[in-house]
């Protein structure tokens, strides 16, 4: 187990070597005004071509049960923001849940959970116009990543066993997020998503990132590149079993997954480990996976891997 004092030591080291204003932060700017704007844990941000995109949830008519996905953008580096607009066709969003968004290649795709269903909205022109909502899948907590013209998404759902048995599902888009399908022949009802996990207990709170080999200077002709998924799992699923983190990766654009439907244990932790966030860093090959998560009630930890998640640095 890596040293618990690591976070404090790193913080002190950073404070000792950086100037008082290391990144040139300025006063905050109001993005979405008014008491009707809520976020819960559903706030999302993504950037492309100097445009900043933000999506969240708005409370319609100040009624707690009426929550609508909203979107805004800034074209001047965050100084000013366009008035928020409703997206995903005005579908009611699920409270205390996350909205997923990615902007790339001049397009923006948003996945919004709406109380058991997930809806997608798509902008072909960097957020200027939106095509309107269409059904994406059944479940909650979507997350999405971009790789060349492809988009990859993962979410969780309890279709096979109720709230005590949630699993992860996967879809990909070959047209920048307009339409979504599983790898051929691998979809399951009711939404044709590919079943990514098959474990007793709850597999949820997933995050996803993707990367290509550094020497690939142009999009390959077929779905490829590496996709990394990390999630929280309380295998074997008893009421007293704590959550640990698991990981899986695909080098074939989601066609096959290295650890099958069980994933690989990241780290046996002492308390519940939840809400992981992962990033694939492409500066050098083998590229590094950076992982942070919450452990227990109020502790955030970090680790990294240079072999696609097979081993993780102790950072001792």
């Amino acid at each position: 187990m890596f040293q618990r004092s690591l976070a404090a030591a790193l913080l002190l080291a950073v404070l000792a070597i950086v100037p008082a204003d290391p990144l040139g932060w300025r006063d905050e700017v109001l993005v979405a005004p008014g008491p009707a704007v809520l976020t819960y844990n559903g706030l999302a941000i993504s950037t492309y071509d100097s445009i900043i995109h933000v999506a969240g949830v708005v409370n319609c008519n100040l009624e707690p049960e009426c929550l609508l996905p909203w979107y805004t953008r800034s074209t001047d580096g965050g100084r000013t923001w366009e008035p928020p607009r409703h997206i995903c066709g005005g579908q009611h969003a699920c409270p205390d849940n996350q909205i997923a968004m990615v902007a790339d290649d001049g397009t923006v795709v948003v996945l919004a959970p709406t109380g058991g269903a997930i809806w997608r909205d798509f902008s072909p022109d960097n957020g200027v116009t939106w095509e309107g909502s269409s059904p994406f899948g059944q479940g909650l907590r979507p997350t999405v990543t971009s790789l060349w013209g492809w988009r990859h998404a993962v979410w969780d759902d309890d279709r096979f066993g109720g709230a005590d048995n949630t699993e992860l599902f996967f879809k990909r888009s070959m047209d920048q997020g307009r339409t979504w399908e599983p790898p051929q022949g691998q979809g399951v009802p009711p939404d044709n998503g590919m079943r990514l996990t098959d474990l007793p207990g709850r597999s949820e709170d997933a995050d996803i990132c993707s990367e290509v080999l550094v020497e690939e200077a142009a999009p390959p002709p077929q779905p490829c590149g590496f996709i990394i998924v990390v999630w929280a799992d309380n295998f074997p699923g008893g009421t007293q079993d704590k959550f640990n983190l698991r990981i899986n990766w695909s080098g074939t654009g989601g066609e096959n997954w290295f650890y099958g439907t069980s994933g690989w244990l990241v780290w046996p932790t002492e308390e519940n480990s939840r809400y992981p966030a992962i990033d694939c860093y492409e500066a050098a090959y083998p590229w590094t996976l950076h992982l942070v998560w919450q452990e227990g009630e109020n502790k955030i930890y970090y680790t990294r891997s240079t072999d696609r998640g097979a081993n993780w640095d102790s950072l001792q």
Side-chain angles (χ1 to χ4, degrees), residues 70-93:
W70 60 264
Y71 164 84
T72 185
R73 69 176 194 158
S74 172
T75 59
D76 58 5
R79 292 176 178 85
T80 61
W81 294 81
E82 296 178 358
R85 70 186 81 175
H86 290 168
I87 55 174
C88 295
Q91 298 289 334
H92 286 199

Side-chain angles (χ1 to χ4, degrees), residues 13-79:
V14 169
L15 291 176
I17 62 175
V18 300
D21 187 20
L23 299 178
W25 291 93
R26 298 295 184 261
D27 291 341
E28 66 271 18
V29 175
L30 185 62
V31 173
V37 175
L38 302 177
T39 60
Y40 292 92
N41 64 337
L43 204 60
I45 187 169
S46 187
T47 60
Y48 178 76
D49 195 23
S50 76
I51 298 178
I52 309 170
H53 308 267
V54 172
V57 170
V58 63
N59 188 326
C60 54
N61 301 323
L62 298 181
E63 298 175 9
E65 294 79 15
C66 185
L67 304 170
L68 298 178
W70 60 264
Y71 164 84
T72 185
R73 69 176 194 158
S74 172
T75 59
D76 58 5
R79 292 176 178 85

Side-chain angles (χ1 to χ4, degrees), residues 7-228:
L10 286 175
L11 178 59
L12 291 174
V14 169
L15 291 176
I17 62 175
V18 300
D21 187 20
L23 299 178
W25 291 93
R26 298 295 184 261
D27 291 341
E28 66 271 18
V29 175
L30 185 62
V31 173
V37 175
L38 302 177
T39 60
Y40 292 92
N41 64 337
L43 204 60
I45 187 169
S46 187
T47 60
Y48 178 76
D49 195 23
S50 76
I51 298 178
I52 309 170
H53 308 267
V54 172
V57 170
V58 63
N59 188 326
C60 54
N61 301 323
L62 298 181
E63 298 175 9
E65 294 79 15
C66 185
L67 304 170
L68 298 178
W70 60 264
Y71 164 84
T72 185
R73 69 176 194 158
S74 172
T75 59
D76 58 5
R79 292 176 178 85
T80 61
W81 294 81
E82 296 178 358
R85 70 186 81 175
H86 290 168
I87 55 174
C88 295
Q91 298 289 334
H92 286 199
C94 182
D96 197 24
N97 211 320
Q98 66 190 41
I99 284 179
M101 177 176 64
V102 65
D104 200 0
D105 303 323
T107 68
V108 188
V109 62
V110 172
L111 303 178
T114 59
I118 300 172
W119 294 78
R120 99 51 180 134
D121 207 343
F122 178 82
S123 171
D125 48 17
N126 236 339
V128 176
T129 62
W130 292 82
E131 293 185 351
S133 63
S134 63
F136 170 83
Q138 173 182 298
L140 299 170
R141 292 175 284 267
T143 182
V144 62
T145 189
S146 173
L147 182 65
W148 299 114
W150 306 308
R151 310 292 181 260
H152 306 282
V154 171
W155 72 100
D156 62 73
D157 186 44
D158 60 5
R159 68 190 66 179
F160 292 122
D164 292 329
N165 185 207
T166 54
E167 302 290 356
L168 298 186
F169 298 87
F170 170 81
K171 279 186 180 180
R172 66 189 184 192
S173 171
M174 304 294 292
D175 54 9
Q176 300 176 316
R178 275 191 175 92
T179 60
W180 293 81
E181 296 290 341
Q184 185 173 5
Q186 299 192 59
V188 298
D191 54 17
N192 204 31
M194 176 186 181
R195 186 171 184 175
L196 196 57
T197 61
D198 188 1
L199 289 166
R202 294 162 57 188
S203 301
E204 55 196 31
D205 299 326
D207 196 21
I208 187 172
C209 68
S210 53
E211 196 49 77
V212 296
L213 297 181
V214 174
E215 59 265 27
E216 291 186 15
Q222 60 183 358
C224 65
F226 291 104
I227 308 168
I228 308 291

Side-chain angles (χ1 to χ4, degrees), residues 7 271-272 275 293-301:
E271 302 179 69
N272 277 325
Y275 317 119
W293 71 95
Q294 176 180 315
E295 187 173 330
E297 295 297 325
N298 57 5
K299 292 174 288 187
I300 305 297
Y301 289 119

